[in-house]
Amino acid sequence: MTTLSPTLDLTLALMREPSVTPFDANCQTLMIERLEKIGFKVERLRFGDVDNFWARRGDSGPVLAFAGHTDVVPTGPVENWSVQPFAPEIRDGMLIGRGAADMKGSLAAMVVACERFVEKHPNHKGSIAYLITSDEEGVAINGTVKVVEHLEARGEKMTWALVGEPSSSKQLGDVIKNGRRGSLNGILTVLGTQGHVAYPQLADNPIHRAAPALAELAAEIWDNGNEFFPATSFQISNIGAGTGANNVIPGEMKVVFNFRFSTEVTEAQLRERTEAILKKHGLRYELAWSLSGHPFLTAKGELVAAAVASIHEICGIETELSTSGGTSDGRFIAPTGAQVLELGPLNATIHKVNEEVRAADLDTLTDVYERILVKLLA
């Protein structure tokens, strides 16, 4: 039987734990046992039904924190998988199973990189830390955000945060995320008057009322983006109205929409401009807003420089800085003033059936993480 690398061995152990969000199963214990052996002081932090931990080696700054999550999304129909989702296998060089890319492979690479670094540099500068949650794939209210609040309350700061989200596109290291767009959600209820379709003068059709306003919202140019961010986008994701009958004008219509927004516009401005358009069209409506996260950006700095140089030295490629994609827990860390980057394996199969990653990529990722540690703390 082929001997697995330390990174792959730990990855498989983590993937065998059925840690569907928000449950950690035994993943954090596996990580903590390894970190305590190399001198980390570990603080388990449970908020609600969510397990988190903060681990730190060193008492001074600067602080390089590895951030990530042990929870995974549900598997979907198990019969559609080529392996049992929580019994991972390596086939033709590909590691298949839930969490391979998002993001248990990254977690294992972080731990093994740190073990190697500490062995070579036991008296390193500053501190190494880990901020690990089991509430990233779910509602994300008792995870990283709560740990950050806990740290901020006692004045403990991260200088740099390296998040292990799967950032790569075609080749390991070809893309790192140095920011993310903000995400603002709205649930719009357009109010009308229910009635018979044969007597429209006695009713008020909310669909007809809302259509011109929705068309204007969809056509609106909210901003033009900038060097780091694409233009803000408005997308309607759900529309619902009607009783199911073809002869009844509905009394209300619900519209669910989302803004992915750049640093060129604020949450408040998006709200104000949206409501101005709705009022311009004379709608009677109710509107509930929820903010998933503000945009953040690490345009330059020591962390960007170390990551770009490490990828070039280990992978032999020039990396692209990108702010595309969805949200990540980096949105909770960036407001503290930390430089935040996301660097991990290929993201092509995340959340899919037969999630997979090149097994060799995880060893390469370990080398990249170790090189970043050397550049920042050796």
Side-chain angles (χ1 to χ4, degrees):
M1 184 175 180
T2 303
T3 301
L4 295 174
S5 70
T7 298
L8 285 171
D9 188 61
L10 179 54
T11 301
L12 288 166
L14 293 170
M15 290 175 66
R16 291 184 187 113
E17 299 293 337
S19 56
V20 176
T21 190
F23 302 108
D24 167 68
N26 195 47
C27 293
Q28 292 182 21
T29 295
L30 291 172
M31 295 180 68
I32 287 169
E33 288 173 350
R34 299 280 286 260
L35 294 174
E36 287 181 332
K37 287 180 181 177
I38 55 172
F40 278 82
K41 297 176 182 177
V42 179
E43 189 177 358
R44 291 181 182 263
L45 299 165
R46 185 171 175 86
F47 300 108
D49 60 352
V50 174
D51 289 307
N52 312 279
F53 77 84
W54 170 254
R56 181 165 174 170
R57 187 183 197 275
D59 299 314
S60 62
V63 179
L64 171 59
F66 289 99
H69 60 91
T70 55
D71 58 319
V72 297
V73 295
T75 64
V78 173
E79 61 271 19
N80 293 341
W81 286 70
S82 62
V83 303
Q84 288 296 309
F86 295 111
E89 297 182 27
I90 298 176
R91 296 181 178 176
D92 298 322
M94 301 301 294
L95 172 59
I96 309 168
R98 179 58 84 221
D102 191 12
M103 56 173 286
K104 293 181 178 181
S106 296
L107 296 177
M110 291 172 178
V111 171
V112 174
C114 196
E115 289 172 336
R116 292 178 185 172
F117 175 77
V118 168
E119 182 179 4
K120 297 170 188 173
H121 306 277
N123 300 312
H124 59 78
K125 296 187 296 187
S127 300
I128 312 169
Y130 284 77
L131 194 171
I132 306 298
T133 183
S134 61
D135 185 32
E136 195 274 346
E137 299 290 9
V139 293
I141 59 173
N142 285 315
T144 299
V145 63
K146 288 286 180 65
V147 178
V148 169
E149 290 171 358
H150 177 76
L151 297 175
E152 287 286 292
R154 67 187 187 201
E156 191 167 0
K157 292 281 190 181
M158 292 168 269
T159 312
W160 309 295
L162 187 56
V163 186
E165 290 291 347
S167 63
S168 303
S169 178
K170 305 290 185 184
Q171 179 182 350
L172 179 73
D174 61 355
V175 177
I176 55 179
K177 301 297 175 78
N178 66 325
R180 293 281 191 162
R181 294 175 293 174
S183 179
L184 177 63
N185 310 288
I187 301 177
L188 171 68
T189 303
V190 182
L191 305 174
T193 302
Q194 184 173 314
H196 197 294
V197 295
Y199 301 97
Q201 73 276 15
L202 301 179
D204 183 11
N205 193 320
I207 301 174
H208 295 185
R209 289 276 189 188
L214 297 180
E216 183 170 345
L217 288 168
E220 179 77 0
I221 297 175
W222 303 94
D223 62 43
N224 294 307
N226 55 35
E227 177 185 359
F228 298 100
F229 289 92
T232 293
S233 71
F234 167 87
Q235 291 293 318
I236 296 171
S237 54
N238 288 279
I239 292 181
T243 64
N246 63 7
N247 60 354
V248 179
I249 293 171
E252 66 177 37
M253 178 177 72
K254 286 192 180 294
V255 181
V256 180
F257 62 87
N258 174 268
F259 285 101
R260 292 300 164 104
F261 63 102
S262 78
T263 49
E264 293 295 306
V265 66
T266 67
E267 170 205 357
Q269 289 170 333
L270 291 174
R271 292 186 185 206
E272 291 169 5
R273 289 171 62 183
T274 299
E275 299 207 34
I277 290 172
L278 297 176
K279 290 172 182 174
K280 169 185 166 184
H281 287 271
L283 300 185
R284 291 188 297 125
Y285 68 91
E286 298 168 353
L287 182 51
W289 294 99
S290 63
L291 179 71
S292 297
H294 290 287
F296 67 90
L297 177 69
T298 300
K300 57 184 179 180
E302 304 92 347
L303 183 58
V304 170
V308 169
S310 296
I311 290 168
H312 180 72
E313 292 166 14
I314 300 296
C315 304
I317 60 174
E318 300 297 328
T319 193
E320 173 193 349
L321 298 176
S322 171
T323 61
S324 65
T327 59
S328 80
D329 275 2
R331 69 191 188 273
F332 302 127
I333 301 172
T336 70
Q339 298 173 29
V340 180
L341 279 187
E342 298 171 28
L343 169 57
L346 273 64
N347 56 28
T349 62
I350 59 174
H351 294 201
K352 293 183 178 180
V353 167
N354 291 328
E355 179 182 345
E356 64 181 8
V357 66
R358 294 187 191 98
D361 278 358
L362 298 183
D363 291 321
T364 305
L365 182 62
T366 305
D367 294 340
V368 172
Y369 286 160
E370 183 183 359
R371 188 65 59 91
I372 293 170
L373 279 162
V374 169
K375 290 183 179 298
L376 294 175
L377 296 180

